[in-house]
């Protein structure tokens, strides 16, 4: 039992920066070392009938030297985990830092990831018109049904919603930002229910059944 608890502690191992009160999660390399050590331990412990559940690997924001220096003087600069609206939500940032007007969200769609301000809509604009992920559905915009060559080196796509050919890109804008702009205004998506709301509704429903 004591050995099992020790392995739990090692899996959640955190690192303390000397001279500060900031606790930092292990880097990807350090996580891999911990994972390899746990795998070896699991092979040994499974012979004794110990079964462990598989957990999804967490992706931590990259922290550079500038971020370190800022976090030493400003605790709100330390990245903190944020709950998603529902499972599979690709829009909501999993990690945020700072508070108020300075609050930023981490875009893990970028490689490497990058921080973008939330209050001035920089994150909103980036996710929708750079990555093509709807802020409403949390999923990627639907692709054109088909494409064709238009006038003036414009590539057009057939929209499933309005059944019109609209610009996707041109010689100046080689990305799909024109299509994403149209999709944001035209496409109709059902807004998924929040996981938190669903849990609360289920709890209320169960309470009513209990007292009736």
């Amino acid at each position: 039992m004591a050995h099992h608890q020790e392995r739990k502690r090692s899996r959640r191992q955190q690192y303390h920066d000397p001279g500060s009160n900031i606790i930092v999660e292990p880097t990807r390399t350090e996580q891999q070392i911990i994972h390899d050590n746990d795998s070896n331990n699991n092979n040994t412990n499974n012979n004794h009938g110990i079964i462990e559940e598989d957990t999804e690997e967490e992706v931590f924001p990259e922290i550079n030297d500038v971020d370190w220096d800022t976090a030493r003087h400003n605790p709100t600069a330390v990245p903190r985990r944020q709950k998603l609206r529902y499972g599979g939500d690709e829009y909501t940032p999993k990690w945020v830092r700072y508070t108020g007007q300075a609050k930023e969200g981490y875009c893990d769609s970028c490689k490497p990831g990058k921080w973008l301000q939330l209050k001035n809509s920089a994150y909103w604009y980036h996710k929708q018109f750079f990555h093509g992920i709807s802020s409403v559905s949390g999923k990627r915009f639907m692709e054109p049904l088909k494409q064709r060559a238009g006038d003036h080196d414009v590539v057009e796509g057939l929209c499933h919603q309005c059944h019109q050919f609209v610009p996707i890109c041109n010689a100046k804008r080689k990305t799909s930002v024109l299509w994403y702009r149209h999709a944001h205004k035209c496409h109709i998506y059902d807004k998924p229910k929040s996981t938190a709301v669903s849990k609360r509704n289920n709890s209320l429903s169960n309470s009513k059944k209990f007292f009736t």
Side-chain angles (χ1 to χ4, degrees):
M1 184 66 179
H3 183 67
H4 182 60
Q5 293 177 347
E6 183 63 25
R7 286 191 296 103
K8 278 190 174 182
R9 285 195 293 270
S10 66
R11 186 180 298 104
R12 299 171 182 170
Q13 184 176 1
Q14 294 177 322
Y15 295 84
H16 183 266
D17 176 45
S20 72
N21 294 322
I22 300 171
I23 300 298
V24 183
E25 301 289 352
T27 63
R28 295 296 296 276
T29 302
E30 293 164 338
Q31 290 178 52
Q32 186 61 44
I33 294 174
I34 295 172
H35 174 74
D36 293 342
N37 291 337
D38 280 351
S39 298
N40 294 334
N41 291 333
N42 289 341
N43 294 334
T44 303
N45 292 326
N46 283 340
N47 296 331
H48 298 281
I50 297 176
I51 301 175
E52 293 190 356
E53 296 181 356
D54 292 333
T55 56
E56 183 180 353
E57 181 183 359
E58 184 64 274
V59 178
F60 298 96
E62 295 187 9
I63 302 177
N64 55 37
D65 293 337
V66 176
D67 294 332
W68 262 117
D69 292 337
T70 304
R72 287 191 181 98
H73 301 89
N74 184 359
T76 65
V78 179
R80 57 190 182 275
R81 195 72 163 83
Q82 178 175 257
K83 291 184 179 180
L84 301 181
R85 295 173 295 181
Y86 59 91
D89 183 3
E90 298 180 47
Y91 173 80
T92 304
K94 298 181 181 69
W95 294 90
V96 294
R97 66 180 183 182
Y98 300 116
T99 58
Q101 295 294 328
K103 188 175 182 180
E104 296 178 342
Y106 187 74
C107 176
D108 53 9
S109 300
C110 289
K111 303 300 178 186
K114 64 188 301 184
W115 292 97
L116 296 149
Q117 198 165 353
L118 295 171
K119 293 297 183 179
N120 65 359
S121 299
Y123 181 89
W124 175 89
Y125 186 93
H126 175 79
K127 274 287 191 176
Q128 294 209 128
F129 303 136
F130 186 81
H131 294 296
I133 299 175
S134 169
S135 62
V136 177
S137 68
K139 300 293 185 181
R140 296 187 178 277
F141 291 120
M142 186 172 291
E143 298 290 336
L145 297 178
K146 60 180 179 179
Q147 300 181 18
R148 72 180 185 185
D151 298 332
H152 309 294
D153 296 327
V154 174
V155 178
E156 298 178 333
L158 179 61
C159 175
H160 75 283
Q161 195 76 54
C162 64
H163 305 289
Q164 300 290 326
F165 276 97
V166 297
I168 298 177
C169 60
N170 53 33
K172 291 184 178 180
R173 292 179 179 269
K174 298 184 181 298
T175 62
S176 300
V177 63
L178 297 177
W179 174 258
Y180 295 152
R181 285 178 182 273
H182 172 80
H184 169 64
K185 294 180 180 179
C186 179
H187 294 183
I188 299 175
Y189 296 100
D190 293 330
K191 187 174 182 179
K193 293 182 179 180
S194 172
T195 303
V197 173
S198 299
K199 288 182 178 180
R200 184 168 65 251
N201 290 339
N202 290 337
S203 177
L204 291 174
S205 178
N206 293 333
S207 298
K208 291 179 180 179
K209 291 180 181 178
F210 180 80
F211 288 105
T212 56

